[in-house]
Amino acid sequence: MKFTAADLKAFLKNVVQVIEENKDYLSELDRKLGDGDHGVTMSIGWQAIDEKLSNELREEQDCGRVCITAGRTFLSAVGSSVGPLYATGFLKGAKVFQGKSELTGEDLKDFWVAFIEGIKERGKAEVGDKTMVDTLQPALESLKSRFEQTGDFMAAFTEAVSSGEKGMESTKDLLSKRGRSSRLGERSLGNQDPGATSAFLILSTFLTTVNAVQAV
């Protein structure tokens, strides 16, 4: 398979749109657990990336530079805890893409492994803490094991998104252990984590983008 710098930028543009469409939903989830601003925060970060895509990244062909700019831009725009997490993911993933304008399935697999491991390293959360890691860790495990078995990125990432979705849904049954929502105790039960939800939206948007690229 082939995935170009233009395809990578299309993915980022698609995330901008998906986050905008789900902004109110994400904030509604967050109202039950936290400040109620997760959708707004994510929107601010992705709108800032969108501005870079329309201007200084318009002609950029180095996929690594695209990711570095996305990560730094998100961090500058978003002061909350989610800013450093996604910034770290993008900056770690950028190392895989450095100097490349066309990406293979293996490059894409390595990017997502680095992206998720970067977030985990920065955030120190574990599965069961009711955070984005509940989406990302199952996705990571599926991606690595399926790719190792088949060498087929599309099959591996499809399975990863499915595992991530189950992880996201599992947060409804978890007690919050991190951040402001941890003060809620039992009251956090029954509510899906907004960070796990936005992480799933990003993963599923990548799958949609790759499927569209492969269909052309």
Side-chain angles (χ1 to χ4, degrees):
M1 66 172 293
K2 195 171 74 172
F3 195 81
T4 66
D7 298 327
L8 176 62
K9 289 185 274 188
F11 156 62
L12 297 174
K13 281 267 189 194
N14 290 343
V15 175
V16 173
Q17 187 180 339
V18 168
I19 293 296
E20 253 350 86
E21 287 166 0
N22 287 276
K23 179 166 73 172
D24 293 345
Y25 170 57
L26 292 170
S27 289
E28 187 186 318
L29 289 175
D30 198 29
R31 270 193 287 280
K32 294 168 182 168
L33 292 169
D35 301 345
D37 64 352
H38 186 66
V40 174
T41 301
M42 291 296 285
S43 171
I44 289 167
W46 283 95
Q47 287 295 328
I49 290 173
D50 192 35
E51 193 179 325
K52 294 285 185 186
L53 289 166
S54 302
N55 295 295
E56 71 185 69
L57 290 177
R58 187 191 287 263
E59 305 300 328
E60 184 58 70
Q61 292 302 305
D62 183 331
C63 294
R65 282 194 195 137
V66 172
C67 287
I68 288 168
T69 302
R72 287 180 177 161
T73 302
F74 196 87
L75 183 60
S76 299
V78 175
S80 74
S81 58
V82 78
L85 295 174
Y86 277 115
T88 303
F90 274 118
L91 294 174
K92 295 278 187 188
K95 292 177 181 171
V96 175
F97 288 173
Q98 204 166 356
K100 295 175 181 174
S101 59
E102 275 193 16
L103 307 166
T104 64
E106 186 152 12
D107 290 331
L108 295 177
K109 182 269 292 181
D110 289 344
F111 169 82
W112 283 107
V113 169
F115 183 91
I116 294 171
E117 287 180 343
I119 287 175
K120 284 172 55 198
E121 196 181 299
R122 186 65 190 254
K124 308 283 190 252
E126 303 287 339
V127 167
D129 285 349
K130 199 171 178 120
T131 70
M132 64 167 78
V133 171
D134 289 296
T135 294
L136 295 174
Q137 181 63 29
L140 175 66
E141 287 169 8
S142 281
L143 177 62
K144 281 161 69 171
S145 68
R146 187 68 191 268
F147 191 86
E148 205 172 290
Q149 290 163 10
T150 65
D152 180 342
F153 176 75
M154 290 300 298
F157 202 78
T158 301
E159 196 169 292
V161 170
S162 178
S163 298
E165 184 169 25
K166 289 183 190 125
M168 170 189 75
E169 288 169 351
S170 78
T171 62
K172 291 174 191 166
D173 303 318
L174 296 172
L175 283 171
S176 291
K177 295 179 186 167
R178 316 267 305 182
R180 182 169 294 213
S181 59
S182 61
R183 300 176 204 156
L184 293 171
E186 295 282 333
R187 282 180 295 150
S188 66
L189 285 171
N191 296 305
Q192 187 167 294
D193 182 67
T197 307
S198 56
F200 171 72
L201 290 172
I202 291 168
L203 291 177
S204 61
T205 302
F206 190 75
L207 182 59
T208 306
T209 306
V210 176
N211 278 326
V213 169
Q214 295 307 297
V216 173

